Amino acid sequence: MSDGTESVRGADVFGGDRPTRSRAVLLVVLGAFWLWLLARWLVEWTGVPVGVPGEPFVDVALVGGPQTPLGVMVGSLPALAVGVYVTVVLTVVSIALGFVLAVPLSVARVYGAVSSYVSLSFTELIRGTPLIAQLFVLYYGLNLSQYFRGLTSFAGVTVDPALWVAVIGFTINSAAYQAEYIRAAIESVDPRQLVAARSVGLDQLDGIRYVVLPQGLRYAIPGWTNELVYLIKYSSLATFITVTELFTAANDVASETFRYTAMFTVVALFYLLLVLTATTIMSTVEDRVAIPGIGGAEGRP
Amino acid sequence: MTSATTSVVLQSSDWAYVLENADILFEGTVETIKLTVLAMVLGFLAGFPAGAAEVYGSPWIRKPVWAAGVGLRATPILVILVFLFFVAPFATSAFVAAVIGLGFRSAAYQAQMFRGALQSVDEGQMEAARSVGMTRFQAIRRVIVPQALRRSIPGFQNEFTIVLKDTSIAIILGISELLGVTEDLFLQSGRSGAALELILAASLVYFVLTVTTNRGIEYLGEVYEIPSGEST
Amino acid sequence: MSDPLLRVDDVYKSYGDEDVLKGISFEMDRGDVEVLVGPSGSGKSTLLRCVNRLTEVDSGDVYLDGECVTAPEADVNALRREVGMVFQDFNLFAHLSALENITLGLKHVRGFDDAKARERGHEHLERVGLAAQAESYPAELSGGQKQRVGIARALAMDPKLMLFDEPTSALDPELVGEVTSVMRELAEEGMTMLVVTHEMGFASEAASRMMFLDDGRLVERGPPEQLFRNPQHERTERFLERITRLHGEIE
């Protein structure tokens, strides 16, 4: 089993091994996927004349017509591409903001006194309740979307206020999980590293920032990859608060045409490609920032 | 959906509404627990053999099992649930579709967990078992598996809470689990103001369930713990 | 004269490009105590593992009591019932008590019922001086105790041949004695033993013969006195000189 196999560490999706020779195939497939997406996005929003907005590149009539499953699938591609954009925006913004929130949360948890308990309560509450419930609290309970009525466009796309509420919800949720991963990673750094930093004259905060975090964050990469994959999949829950992301796009087409199996197969494929993109990127990142003896090489702490 | 200009303030009349419908919330909780337990059982029954197959199986078994696992782990549970519901045999019952969807998704993750646990048992244990004349199967069954199962307890705990929370996604199939009945309650006319209180109450129930099962499984772990920690 | 109990015939074993065993042949009779010595990497442990087929030979054969055990149709599990093995890292079943470590094989390989297995188990624990530790778990035992349980576990299966793979190498020095004295008793009782070890004291006192392996080849073989006092090869002499300096003089 261990003959030149490359493991995508920590990406729960793949488990242990992914054979290296399929990596080339994978990169080609992913490359094609993203090229197509970019082309579609350009067509929809910038009038680049390689196609018609709303119309697939391949004529639906050529694959059997708009009534057949294949025809429906191909015909839905432009709508799905728009959905992917929203999904990607949702995922990327939420995980980034979540990270910004998570670092102080985990530092407080590890090094704080009172702030440690506050941080712990927050993460326990968020991680102990379903993401949908959290979205419901924000959208139906607190009715946050009313505050975003004015902000109707983002990066050139007309956007529903619900999207902002979704971002807030995912950010909070992701921050709680990321804080946990980062905490575990910080704690796996030998405490003597911080002692050494203090002995050189760095204060607590600088010691954490320049010595503990650089090591800890590398340990956190596998957990972080998990979180990214999780967000990609659970972004689909935004459909419950009326966000028109990928799942909504597919569901809408499916309920109009009754081609449920076909549409959900296609959308499953889309998610698979998105997940594969994420794990491939993270695995490259992990290799690039690897420091011998820290995190990566042998088993995780 | 509602576009009411609801006050954010938690009103006592809204809490009273929550208490009035405590029985409905309770029934929803029962459904949630049923879904969770059945899905976890299915997840174990399918996931443990899958994990063992990935460690001990021939390539003919390993590759398809691994591929199925990747498919299940890369697809959002929401998609899995709706897909199952509309693929004919299960369209008869939303509950069955939910159990199967949640169950097999969990099986895919439990398989990974058991695979890791089985592989973490020291090779020397297998050698010692074989050296007294046990067959490979006997060695796996009587020496490796008992140790692997104990090591899987933290992962199992984690998986349990994930499934518990994911049952709320079965709302899409119209199942009357906790979040579903909660939504029904606040969508009733004139009651949208109680939405916040209702959802918070439901969240509290989830939280309590999560904490209880975590402690429960931890306790089980202590009961079956190998005295003074594990060597090798 | 009856057949030798163990016959190793021209055994070769490689791992990739590395040749670990290069044509080893020897015979052992019942009651022989053979000590295998040599530098690390010389193939000693590999040879031991080839005897009970934990490692498969590339070519050559191994015969136990006249039967060819390396034949493709041979029943490996039946073979291993007759050959006991004691490991450097003990390899006690971590989830079972000392007694259960012994009864596991008795119940599921020899088919004993629970009562008989427990009786036998207690007997063997007593034999190695650990009757009081029957219900203790491996994590609760010292290294020397663990190894003695390991010996009892192998003995309880009533083997014709016992293999010892550096049984004391993982032990603290003060615990080595309790294990080697058990091994010495076994040798006196007439058990056929093939032992890989650096314990020259045990070798000089208990071994009927010693084998010096170097770089995958059997360099020299003979009674301990011969190898220690009158080695036929320079390599033997140099190795034993080094080892004796490290592990103490022999009387």
Side-chain angles (χ1 to χ4, degrees):
Chain A
M1 272 244 281
S2 49
D3 43 7
T5 53
E6 187 185 18
S7 69
V8 181
R9 292 175 279 272
D12 262 349
V13 172
F14 283 100
D17 310 316
R18 224 215 288 151
T20 40
R21 54 195 148 80
S22 351
R23 197 183 170 93
V25 175
L26 178 67
L27 288 174
V28 168
V29 169
L30 288 178
F33 175 63
W34 283 96
L35 273 171
W36 171 77
L37 271 177
L38 279 166
R40 272 256 61 98
W41 292 343
L42 285 172
V43 167
E44 292 294 323
W45 301 311
T46 65
V48 167
V50 289
V52 180
E55 298 279 312
F57 291 132
V58 175
D59 195 344
V60 164
L62 292 174
V63 289
Q67 304 307 321
T68 62
L70 192 56
V72 166
M73 280 159 57
V74 171
S76 71
L77 289 178
L80 292 183
V82 174
V84 170
Y85 184 77
V86 178
T87 294
V88 168
V89 166
L90 190 48
T91 306
V92 169
V93 173
S94 302
I95 206 170
L97 291 177
F99 181 78
V100 169
L101 257 181
V103 172
L105 265 176
S106 52
V107 169
R109 174 85 187 277
V110 177
Y111 297 106
V114 171
S115 50
S116 176
Y117 286 108
V118 172
S119 171
L120 177 62
S121 315
F122 173 78
T123 51
E124 285 300 287
L125 268 167
I126 300 294
R127 285 164 18 114
T129 50
L131 177 52
I132 292 193
Q134 292 161 17
L135 291 174
F136 276 18
V137 164
L138 295 172
Y139 190 76
Y140 296 116
L142 298 172
N143 202 15
L144 287 184
S145 59
Q146 63 186 320
Y147 303 115
F148 292 101
R149 294 271 156 75
L151 289 152
T152 50
S153 81
F154 177 80
V157 188
T158 319
V159 140
D160 183 2
L163 179 59
W164 302 116
V165 181
V167 167
I168 293 176
F170 285 116
T171 299
I172 293 176
N173 188 275
S174 185
Y177 281 93
Q178 290 191 58
E180 211 22 53
Y181 289 126
I182 297 175
R183 179 192 69 81
I186 291 179
E187 286 181 353
S188 68
V189 174
D190 195 328
R192 292 172 294 184
Q193 295 282 304
L194 190 55
V195 172
R198 304 295 306 274
S199 74
V200 168
L202 292 168
D203 67 21
Q204 177 89 332
L205 215 57
D206 281 341
I208 295 170
R209 188 174 154 206
Y210 291 110
V211 175
V212 176
L213 279 180
Q215 295 184 48
L217 288 177
R218 281 172 176 80
Y219 281 123
I221 289 180
W224 206 83
T225 309
N226 267 343
E227 181 58 20
L228 184 55
V229 169
Y230 180 91
L231 260 185
I232 292 173
K233 293 189 296 177
Y234 283 78
S235 64
S236 54
L237 299 187
T239 194
F240 290 111
I241 58 173
T242 76
V243 175
T244 49
E245 42 64 68
L246 178 57
F247 179 81
T248 312
N251 200 17
D252 286 346
V253 176
S255 36
E256 272 167 45
T257 62
F258 299 102
R259 295 291 183 187
Y260 291 101
T261 314
M263 286 311 302
F264 291 130
T265 310
V266 171
V267 84
L269 241 117
F270 267 67
Y271 277 109
L272 176 63
L273 288 167
L274 287 172
V275 167
L276 283 172
T277 309
T279 53
T280 307
I281 292 178
M282 285 315 297
S283 138
T284 316
V285 166
E286 195 170 13
D287 287 339
R288 289 283 160 86
V289 300
I291 296 173
I294 296 189
E298 307 308 326
R300 284 193 288 137
Chain B
M1 302 295 134
T2 171
S3 60
T5 51
T6 50
S7 143
V8 174
V9 170
L10 303 172
Q11 295 175 314
S12 57
S13 59
D14 291 331
W15 285 113
Y17 183 62
V18 172
L19 287 170
E20 275 167 47
N21 292 287
D23 55 337
I24 296 181
L25 291 176
F26 179 75
E27 275 170 32
T29 307
V30 169
E31 281 301 289
T32 293
I33 295 177
K34 274 177 11 189
L35 273 174
T36 309
V37 171
L38 287 171
M40 281 304 286
V41 169
L42 177 55
F44 180 78
L45 292 175
F48 185 76
E54 279 198 58
V55 181
Y56 299 115
S58 67
W60 297 113
I61 300 183
R62 272 208 320 263
K63 294 235 149 73
V65 168
W66 173 83
V70 172
L72 283 166
R73 290 187 295 266
T75 312
I77 182 66
L78 184 56
V79 173
I80 295 178
L81 288 176
V82 292
F83 184 86
L84 276 176
F85 184 71
F86 287 107
V87 172
F90 313 109
T92 49
S93 163
F95 189 86
V96 170
V99 170
I100 293 179
L102 288 165
F104 274 97
R105 179 221 141 268
S106 184
Y109 280 98
Q110 289 194 44
Q112 287 307 101
M113 195 177 78
F114 291 124
R115 187 182 66 94
L118 287 165
Q119 286 176 329
S120 77
V121 177
D122 193 73
E123 182 65 21
Q125 298 284 302
M126 175 64 103
E127 285 198 331
R130 297 308 305 275
S131 76
V132 296
M134 284 194 220
T135 62
R136 196 155 180 252
F137 183 75
Q138 282 179 316
I140 293 171
R141 181 181 163 200
R142 301 209 175 263
V143 174
I144 311 285
V145 166
Q147 297 183 55
L149 283 177
R150 283 171 178 84
R151 291 174 190 214
S152 303
I153 288 179
F156 195 78
Q157 211 180 23
N158 193 40
E159 184 59 23
F160 207 99
T161 53
I162 290 175
V163 172
L164 174 62
K165 291 181 290 173
D166 275 357
T167 57
S168 56
I169 304 178
I171 197 176
I172 188 102
L173 299 183
I175 297 175
S176 310
E177 44 68 56
L178 179 56
L179 200 65
V181 304
T182 308
E183 190 186 42
D184 287 340
L185 285 172
F186 70 71
L187 286 182
Q188 279 168 36
S189 57
R191 275 313 182 171
S192 52
L196 182 62
E197 290 77 0
L198 279 165
I199 303 169
L200 286 178
S203 301
L204 182 63
V205 173
Y206 279 110
F207 187 71
V208 168
L209 285 173
T210 304
V211 171
T212 321
T213 44
N214 274 346
R215 292 287 160 270
I217 295 179
E218 244 170 67
Y219 176 71
L220 266 176
E222 276 159 35
V223 167
Y224 286 104
E225 198 174 31
I226 298 169
S228 88
E230 293 151 41
S231 51
T232 53
Chain C
M1 273 297 288
S2 50
D3 274 332
L5 179 61
L6 177 68
R7 182 154 79 92
V8 174
D9 189 14
D10 207 31
V11 161
Y12 282 81
K13 175 70 189 174
S14 308
Y15 286 109
D17 288 334
E18 213 185 307
D19 298 328
V20 179
L21 294 175
K22 304 173 190 168
I24 309 279
S25 299
F26 67 95
E27 283 176 15
M28 281 173 70
D29 288 320
R30 262 168 203 72
D32 279 354
V33 176
E34 190 99 24
V35 172
L36 199 41
V37 298
S40 33
S42 56
K44 319 188 290 293
S45 286
T46 310
L47 178 59
L48 215 63
R49 283 176 142 73
C50 285
V51 172
N52 72 349
R53 286 186 64 178
L54 280 180
T55 299
E56 299 290 359
V57 303
D58 289 338
S59 74
D61 284 306
V62 175
Y63 297 84
L64 186 70
D65 220 359
E67 268 185 60
C68 179
V69 297
T70 40
E73 63 274 9
D75 183 351
V76 180
N77 299 313
L79 154 77
R80 294 188 182 135
R81 271 180 244 149
E82 309 300 328
V83 177
M85 188 158 196
V86 177
F87 299 87
Q88 178 177 351
D89 290 324
F90 329 124
N91 287 339
L92 293 187
F93 304 133
H95 60 304
L96 301 175
S97 68
L99 182 63
E100 285 166 343
N101 258 267
I102 301 174
T103 58
L104 191 68
L106 292 176
K107 290 204 282 196
H108 300 289
V109 178
R110 289 262 183 230
F112 288 9
D113 64 49
D114 194 58
K116 189 167 175 205
R118 294 180 70 87
E119 201 191 307
R120 221 37 218 284
H122 275 295
E123 261 174 47
H124 284 275
L125 278 176
E126 260 197 65
R127 191 171 173 190
V128 298
L130 289 174
Q133 270 72 32
E135 302 305 324
S136 300
Y137 282 81
E140 298 171 313
L141 300 173
S142 74
Q145 291 173 322
K146 281 195 270 213
Q147 195 58 297
R148 282 187 280 154
V149 174
I151 295 175
R153 177 177 64 180
L155 268 183
M157 298 296 288
D158 214 13
K160 295 177 181 167
L161 169 68
M162 287 275 284
L163 304 173
F164 291 81
D165 190 359
E166 300 209 34
T168 55
S169 296
L171 295 175
D172 291 333
E174 65 271 19
L175 301 173
V176 169
E178 68 193 65
V179 173
T180 49
S181 62
V182 170
M183 287 167 67
R184 244 178 284 234
E185 278 167 32
L186 269 183
E188 271 157 40
E189 287 162 18
M191 173 61 72
T192 318
M193 296 161 64
L194 181 54
V195 182
V196 172
T197 186
H198 293 303
E199 289 299 315
M200 294 301 131
F202 173 81
S204 66
E205 286 171 26
S208 42
R209 255 199 302 254
M210 276 174 73
M211 266 195 278
F212 174 61
L213 235 64
D214 191 9
D215 195 31
R217 273 183 245 273
L218 178 51
V219 174
E220 188 165 343
R221 192 177 181 218
E225 310 81 62
Q226 174 197 318
L227 267 73
F228 282 119
R229 300 193 201 294
N230 192 16
Q232 305 295 300
H233 290 83
E234 201 207 320
R235 282 192 286 170
T236 318
E237 187 174 2
R238 263 189 289 135
F239 174 77
L240 286 176
E241 209 185 334
R242 250 186 319 147
I243 276 291
T244 320
R245 250 185 293 130
L246 285 171
H247 289 261
E249 293 286 329
I250 333 129
E251 292 99 54

